[in-house]
């Protein structure tokens, strides 16, 4: 605007000074200069805008809003003010207003690259990735050398799981901004999602080189090492994150878990206590603390902490409920030395007198039996009968004349007797017919349910030897649960012709402790050029130990991640055998089948677990539905050779084009897998 007089000239000069102060971070000087300019020229819209920005940077958001709106009163089509106002709304988490205002800015000036970036960032927050990608591309078209637009494009593409394009965008951003550590952090996160842990670790470490005080990069590096079961390295990374920020709310939990898993229980106690303070609403904080207490033999102290953890679990996490109840039951059994009567007396004393803060914090009372009945039933469901009876006894103390409570108590006692009778029956069956593998398998799984892992592993060693797998004993494998052993006969039958083949490639989705992996290495993948790729989001600690004992660990490719992210990155028509034993939900089984189809060679064999397992009342829990939906689409390209608890087929033709697979995958909306 051309100044009309000396007053206007002075106002413009003051405004220019304000902008210089603002760029230098001198907010008070910028505010003062703007106010002086507006005294000389009250309708100076640009000065109103700058004053609003200065107040916004100072954190005085109401004043910022007043001056932005004042600028729009003077100049209704002031696009830059709409852009600033959109950022103001975003800072206040007024998302709809921010979106509308950003769009108004572009309506008046479609060349504002920064507004496109802000819109993209907002849309990424709400996972509206296609729209975000479009805005990123508009920003790049106007400012191709602006690294942030490429960075946001990478985030949006990664959110949409378009991994290759996302990596290209991140790499372009790195070229433009090579010293930006946060880019390497998000690049690492994207690589981790795909199970590319070595590359993710390299990205995190590069980010740390650029900024050694990047607490989140150390934390994410710790997560990567943790997922790879490199626990000492994970511990080191988490400790560095905590050193940078002792109040970090996220690193204490996994550090405590890692210390527990390497057996450093006393050190874990201090870390886990701190995690509870920092994360008082997280069940994981309490679970870790209780595990550390149990690890030091403080079972009585662990019980109220496990109860606190159970109170914090979201309703949609039934698997966590079951796992925690088994740990709670184990602590109560250890403290009472397996005597339900002792457990009942002790629990009654704790609840009625609440001797310490941990019991008082549970908010228990002696007038409502419902919480105790609920916990008792959860424990009974998971075969933790000493604790289940103790909680039902407590409910009876509160309402001794309630016939419904008496009925529930009698039911739990009956189930306890039946459970003990079953264990006794299995032991008798083992003694009467020591050559039958099924009784020790069942007994081992029963004992595993009670966290009696050493006894369970001993039973499975006996059973697997009886099934003809002598290596399971001679090599000292340790399996605490067996879902695989009964499948050995059909595996021997249908894989007989594939034993010892050179360059044989196998793929396994869902590995747990490595029982099927070890059997394949011992009995099928015997040629030194054969390999097996194993995918699991959480390999159990026993997996690495068991694989090492095969003597063929160099032929095992371990990928930590979810199959939905990993399978799409594997080479097509590469595998001679694919075994799917991942999540058993119908939608996930369908997705795994589609993703693995293009990976299997013609002539290769696929095996699906849990094909004939039915879940009462929830058909989505049936893998068979998803597998059958897949078979309907490939029926002309498969030869089914076994249809029982597991389904075996040989791929006889392509049957389903890659393009159709992509279309079907785009229609599948399944949950994250939850492997056994």
């Amino acid at each position: 605007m051309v100044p009309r007089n000396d007053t206007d000239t002075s106002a413009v000069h003051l405004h220019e000074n304000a902008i210089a102060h603002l760029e230098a971070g001198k907010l008070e000087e910028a505010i003062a200069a703007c106010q002086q300019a507006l005294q000389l020229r009250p309708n100076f819209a640009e000065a109103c805008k700058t004053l609003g920005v200065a107040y916004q940077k100072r954190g005085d958001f109401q004043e910022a809003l007043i001056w932005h709106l004042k600028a729009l009163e003077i100049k209704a089509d002031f696009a830059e003010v709409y852009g600033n106002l959109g950022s103001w709304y975003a800072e206040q988490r007024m998302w709809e207003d921010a979106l509308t205002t950003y769009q108004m800015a572009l309506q008046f000036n479609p060349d504002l690259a920064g507004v496109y970036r802000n819109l993209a960032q907002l849309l990424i927050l709400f996972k509206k990735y296609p729209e975000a990608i479009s805005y990123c591309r508009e920003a790049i078209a106007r400012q191709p050398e602006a690294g942030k637009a490429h960075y946001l494009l990478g985030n949006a593409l990664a959110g949409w799981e378009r991994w290759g394009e996302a990596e290209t965008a991140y790499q372009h951003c790195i070229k433009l901004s090579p010293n930006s550590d946060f880019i390497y952090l998000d690049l690492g996160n994207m690589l981790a999602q795909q199970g590319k842990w070595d590359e993710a670790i390299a990205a995190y470490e590069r980010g740390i080189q650029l900024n050694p005080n990047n607490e989140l990069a150390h934390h994410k590096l710790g997560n990567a090492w943790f997922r790879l079961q490199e626990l000492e390295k994970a511990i080191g990374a988490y400790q560095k994150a905590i050193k940078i920020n002792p109040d970090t709310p996220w690193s204490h939990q996994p550090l405590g878990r890692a210390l527990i898993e390497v057996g450093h229980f006393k050190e874990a106690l201090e870390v886990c206590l701190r995690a509870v303070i920092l994360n008082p609403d997280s069940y994981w904080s309490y679970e870790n603390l209780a595990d550390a207490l149990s690890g030091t033999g403080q079972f009585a102290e662990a019980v109220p902490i496990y109860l606190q953890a159970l109170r914090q679990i979201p309703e949609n996490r039934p698997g966590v409920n079951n796992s925690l109840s088994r740990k709670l039951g184990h602590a109560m059994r250890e403290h009472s030395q397996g005597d339900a009567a002792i457990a009942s007396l002790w629990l009654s004393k704790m609840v009625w007198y609440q001797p310490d803060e941990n019991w008082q914090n549970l908010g228990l009372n002696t007038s409502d039996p419902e919480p105790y009945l609920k916990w008792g039933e959860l424990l009974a469901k998971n075969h933790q009968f000493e604790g289940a009876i103790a909680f039902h006894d407590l409910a009876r103390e509160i309402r001794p004349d309630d016939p419904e409570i008496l009925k529930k108590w009698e039911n739990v006692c009956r189930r306890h007797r039946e459970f003990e009778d079953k264990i006794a029956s299995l032991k008798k069956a083992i003694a009467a017919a020591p050559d039958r593998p099924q009784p020790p398998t069942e007994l081992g799984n029963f004992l595993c349910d009670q966290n009696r892992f050493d006894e369970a592993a001993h039973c499975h060693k006996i059973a697997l030897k009886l099934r003809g797998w002598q290596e399971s004993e001679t090599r000292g494998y340790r399996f605490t649960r067996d879902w695989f052993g009964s499948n050995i006969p059909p595996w021997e039958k249908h894989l007989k012709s594939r034993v010892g083949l050179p360059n044989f490639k196998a793929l396994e989705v869902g590995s747990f402790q490595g029982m099927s992996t070890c059997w394949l290495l011992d009995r099928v993948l015997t040629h030194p050029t054969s390999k097996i790729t194993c995918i699991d989001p959480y390999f159990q600690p026993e997996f690495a130990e068991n694989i090492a004992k095969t003597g063929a660990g160099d032929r095992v490719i371990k990928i930590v991640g979810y199959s939905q992210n990993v399978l799409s990155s594997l080479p097509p028509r590469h595998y001679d055998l694919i075994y799917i034993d991942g999540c058993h939900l119908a939608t996930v089984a369908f997705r795994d089948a589609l993703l693995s189809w293009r990976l299997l060679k013609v002539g290769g064999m696929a095996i699906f677990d849990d094909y004939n397992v039915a879940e009462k009342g929830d058909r989505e829990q049936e893998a068979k539905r998803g597998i059958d939906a897949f078979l309907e689409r490939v029926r002309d390209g498969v030869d089914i050779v076994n249809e029982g608890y597991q389904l075996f087929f040989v791929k006889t033709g392509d049957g389903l084009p890659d393009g159709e697979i992509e279309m079907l995958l785009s229609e599948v909306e399944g949950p994250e897998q939850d492997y056994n």
Side-chain angles (χ1 to χ4, degrees):
M1 180 179 290
V2 178
R4 291 170 298 184
N5 51 45
D6 290 343
T7 301
D8 278 348
T9 301
S10 297
V12 169
H13 286 160
L14 285 165
H15 181 237
E16 289 172 349
N17 289 338
I19 292 173
H21 288 314
L22 191 61
E23 290 175 349
K26 298 177 179 180
L27 300 182
E28 298 306 323
E29 290 87 342
I31 290 169
C34 283
Q35 289 172 335
Q36 292 173 32
L38 287 166
Q39 286 176 354
L40 296 173
R41 187 173 161 191
N43 291 326
F44 194 173
E46 286 77 6
C48 291
K49 181 201 78 168
T50 303
L51 184 55
V53 172
Y55 277 124
Q56 190 169 345
K57 287 182 178 295
R58 195 175 76 172
D60 193 340
F61 296 112
Q62 288 305 314
E63 282 294 317
L65 178 61
I66 289 169
W67 287 103
H68 280 128
L69 294 176
K70 177 68 175 175
L72 291 177
E73 286 179 16
I74 300 167
K75 186 177 179 181
D77 62 349
F78 203 157
E80 290 82 356
V81 173
Y82 280 108
N84 290 343
L85 192 55
S87 298
W88 184 91
Y89 284 129
E91 288 177 8
Q92 305 306 303
R93 305 176 72 84
M94 299 166 66
W95 309 120
E96 291 298 328
D97 290 329
L99 184 65
T100 301
T101 311
Y102 281 141
Q103 290 170 335
M104 286 287 291
L106 293 177
Q107 180 180 329
F108 289 116
N109 184 354
D111 291 324
L112 293 175
V115 175
Y116 287 107
R117 293 194 297 269
N118 291 344
L119 267 168
Q121 192 163 1
L122 186 60
L123 290 164
I124 289 169
L125 180 66
F126 290 99
K127 300 183 179 180
K128 296 182 177 180
Y129 300 119
E131 299 97 316
I133 290 167
S134 176
Y135 282 117
C136 286
R137 297 199 191 284
E138 291 286 353
I140 290 168
R142 287 160 176 79
Q143 288 184 349
E145 300 306 308
K148 186 175 181 181
H150 295 279
Y151 166 71
L152 291 171
L153 178 59
N155 286 351
L157 289 164
W160 211 16
E161 297 185 5
R162 290 166 61 172
W163 309 120
E165 294 173 77
E167 186 164 359
T168 299
Y170 284 135
Q171 294 297 349
H172 199 134
C173 182
I174 287 170
K175 288 181 182 178
L176 294 169
S177 306
N179 296 319
S180 297
D181 56 297
F182 64 87
I183 303 171
Y184 287 97
L185 179 61
D186 282 353
L187 173 61
N189 293 342
M190 184 199 70
L191 293 165
Q193 277 187 273
Q194 300 170 77
K196 296 180 177 179
W197 295 102
D198 290 341
E199 296 173 58
I201 286 167
Y204 294 139
E205 288 178 338
R206 177 58 181 151
I208 290 168
Q209 286 177 355
L210 293 169
N211 180 8
N213 292 318
N214 188 327
E215 169 210 338
L216 190 54
H218 287 287
H219 171 77
K220 291 290 188 177
L221 179 61
N223 286 352
W225 287 125
F226 191 105
R227 293 291 294 275
L228 292 175
Q229 290 292 299
E230 295 280 357
L231 297 178
E232 295 294 349
K233 292 179 180 177
I235 288 168
Y238 290 135
Q239 287 173 335
K240 288 178 181 176
I242 290 170
K243 186 176 181 181
I244 294 167
N245 178 10
D247 295 324
T248 173
W250 43 70
S251 293
H252 285 81
Q253 287 178 316
L255 173 58
R257 184 77 250 163
L259 289 166
I260 289 166
E261 293 196 8
V262 298
H264 297 168
F265 296 110
K266 290 184 179 179
E267 188 179 352
L269 270 174
E270 181 181 349
V271 174
C272 293
L273 280 167
R274 182 65 178 156
V276 167
I277 294 169
L278 294 170
N279 301 277
D281 298 323
S282 167
Y283 75 85
W284 197 29
S285 297
Y286 294 99
E287 180 181 10
N288 286 345
L289 176 56
D291 285 352
L293 288 165
S294 291
T296 58
Q298 300 178 72
F299 296 108
E301 291 81 358
V303 169
I305 310 301
Y306 280 130
L307 289 171
Q308 189 67 264
L310 282 166
R311 293 178 66 199
Q312 304 286 349
I313 296 174
E315 291 184 3
N316 62 346
R317 301 296 299 277
V320 177
N321 255 317
N322 295 335
S323 172
L324 266 173
S325 67
R326 288 193 287 271
K327 291 180 177 182
L328 169 62
H330 174 73
M332 294 183 73
R333 183 170 59 256
E334 290 295 316
H335 180 63
S336 64
Q337 298 182 336
D339 190 318
I342 293 175
S344 292
L345 288 171
W346 172 79
L347 181 64
S348 177
K349 181 180 178 182
M350 294 300 105
V351 171
W352 284 91
Y353 298 104
Q354 299 184 17
D356 60 41
E357 183 181 354
N358 291 327
W359 283 98
Q360 294 161 17
N361 285 341
L362 287 168
L364 302 177
N365 62 66
T366 54
S367 61
D368 181 9
E370 288 306 317
Y372 311 114
L373 292 171
K374 178 181 176 182
W375 284 330
E377 184 52 40
L378 183 61
L379 286 164
K381 173 187 172 185
N382 287 281
H383 302 154
Q384 308 300 314
F385 290 105
E386 293 86 359
I389 291 171
F391 277 107
H392 279 81
D393 278 341
L394 192 57
R396 288 179 66 212
E397 282 187 60
I398 295 170
R399 292 187 189 168
D401 299 323
D402 190 318
E404 190 64 29
I405 292 176
L406 176 61
K407 183 178 178 181
K408 290 180 178 180
W409 174 82
E410 290 173 341
N411 181 49
V412 168
C413 291
R414 175 184 55 78
R415 289 160 67 185
H416 183 213
R417 288 193 300 271
E418 291 173 351
F419 184 82
E420 292 298 323
D421 289 345
K422 180 65 175 178
I423 289 180
S425 174
L426 288 170
K427 289 180 178 178
K428 287 180 181 178
I430 292 169
D435 57 342
R436 289 184 59 221
Q438 194 58 29
T441 298
E442 288 188 45
L443 180 57
N445 287 340
F446 269 107
L447 294 169
C448 183
D449 284 342
Q450 292 205 316
N451 285 20
R452 294 158 67 175
F453 298 124
D454 290 339
E455 297 171 76
H458 178 70
C459 289
H460 292 314
K461 187 175 294 186
I462 293 171
L464 292 170
K465 182 181 178 182
L466 290 172
R467 295 185 190 280
W469 187 14
Q470 288 81 8
E471 295 92 338
S472 65
E473 180 182 50
T474 59
R475 291 180 173 169
Y477 302 145
R478 176 181 168 85
F479 305 113
T480 61
R481 185 177 290 279
D482 180 3
W483 291 290
F484 172 74
S486 61
N487 298 317
I488 289 177
W491 282 53
E492 287 178 328
K493 176 181 177 181
H494 296 296
L495 294 175
K496 184 177 180 180
S497 63
R498 300 164 193 264
V499 172
L501 295 179
N503 299 309
F504 192 87
K505 304 292 190 299
L507 172 66
E508 179 179 69
V509 175
S511 296
F512 194 57
Q513 295 175 337
M515 185 180 288
S516 53
T517 318
C518 291
W519 186 88
L520 284 168
L521 289 167
D522 288 342
R523 295 305 180 89
V524 179
L525 306 176
T526 54
H527 196 278
T529 61
S530 62
K531 290 186 180 295
I532 182 168
T533 299
C534 300
I535 302 170
D536 200 296
Y538 298 103
F539 287 89
Q540 298 299 300
E542 293 87 353
F543 179 87
E545 298 167 9
N546 289 328
I547 294 303
K549 291 173 182 176
T550 66
D554 59 327
R555 295 192 281 113
V556 177
I557 301 167
K558 175 181 163 184
I559 302 179
V560 181
Y562 288 106
S563 59
Q564 69 182 62
N565 296 330
V566 176
L567 290 174
S568 59
S569 68
L570 298 178
R573 298 160 187 85
H574 182 73
Y575 297 97
D576 302 282
L577 172 68
I578 297 180
Y579 176 39
I580 305 292
D581 183 21
C583 178
H584 302 143
L585 295 176
T587 50
V588 178
F590 179 59
R591 184 170 58 202
D592 281 349
L594 288 172
L595 287 166
S596 61
W597 176 256
R598 70 179 188 86
L599 307 179
L600 187 62
K601 295 177 183 177
V602 172
M605 178 175 287
I607 305 173
F608 289 85
D609 195 55
D610 287 298
Y611 181 64
N612 272 338
V613 176
E615 291 285 342
K616 293 180 181 179
D618 188 357
R619 297 186 67 210
E620 173 56 19
Q621 294 285 339
E622 299 176 11
K624 185 178 190 298
R625 289 184 59 241
I627 298 166
D628 284 344
F630 163 74
L631 291 174
E632 281 293 316
R633 290 164 171 81
V634 297
R635 62 170 62 251
D636 295 332
V638 300
D639 178 16
I640 296 175
V641 296
N642 186 82
E643 188 173 345
Y645 182 83
Q646 294 184 323
L647 177 84
F648 294 61
F649 70 70
V650 174
K651 182 176 180 178
T652 59
D654 285 334
L656 195 62
D658 288 354
E660 189 174 343
I661 290 175
E662 291 300 321
M663 182 189 71
L664 289 168
L665 286 170
S666 69
E667 298 171 357
V668 175
E669 293 185 3
E672 289 286 291
Q673 297 100 315
D674 185 11
Y675 298 175
N676 287 321

